[in-house]
Amino acid sequence: MFIPNLIHFESNIKLRDWWYKNLANAVSYNPFDSIYAVIWVTISVIITAFFIYLFNLKISFRKIDLEESIKKKLALSLAVFTSPYLFYMPTMWFF
């Protein structure tokens, strides 16, 4: 999620200004400032939801005596309901 803030460019490159305006600053303060920031945050939420699903299915539900289809449904519901949707909340509201 915060990888755009870790990537820095030299000061004489136009890419630096674009990166700061459309990704680094937008992801940190208001993801809805730029379509690129919305795409970045959406990809981050999808990847996080996938890993929540995977870890719940393979680790958390490993020793539970349930059918595999029920385990998958539970893992999917947990992934959907516990995904970090707060990444979309503009933090500029708090500063």
Side-chain angles (χ1 to χ4, degrees), residues 3 6 21 29 33 42 50 52 61 68-69 82-83 88 91:
I3 290 175
L6 300 175
K21 179 184 173 198
Y29 295 110
D33 278 347
T42 303
F50 172 73
I52 290 171
F61 299 150
E68 193 66 27
S69 63
T82 62
S83 291
Y88 289 107
T91 57

Side-chain angles (χ1 to χ4, degrees), residues 6-73:
L6 300 175
I7 298 173
H8 297 284
F9 296 100
E10 294 181 20
S11 61
N12 57 356
I13 299 176
K14 289 185 178 184
L15 179 63
R16 176 182 179 262
D17 296 332
W18 181 89
W19 189 268
Y20 179 76
K21 179 184 173 198
N22 292 310
L23 278 178
N25 190 33
V27 167
S28 296
Y29 295 110
N30 187 5
F32 301 108
D33 278 347
S34 162
I35 187 66
Y36 303 109
V38 172
I39 291 170
W40 185 269
V41 171
T42 303
I43 289 171
S44 299
V45 169
I46 290 170
I47 290 171
T48 306
F50 172 73
F51 280 112
I52 290 171
Y53 171 79
L54 189 68
F55 291 146
N56 279 323
L57 184 64
K58 299 294 182 185
I59 296 172
S60 298
F61 299 150
R62 179 178 21 182
K63 296 181 181 179
I64 295 178
D65 187 28
L66 292 173
E67 295 177 19
E68 193 66 27
S69 63
I70 293 176
K71 286 182 184 180
K72 288 181 180 180
K73 289 177 186 177

Side-chain angles (χ1 to χ4, degrees), residues 69-92:
S69 63
I70 293 176
K71 286 182 184 180
K72 288 181 180 180
K73 289 177 186 177
L74 282 172
L76 182 62
S77 64
L78 281 171
V80 168
F81 292 122
T82 62
S83 291
Y85 299 114
L86 290 177
F87 285 168
Y88 289 107
M89 183 179 289
T91 57
M92 69 179 198

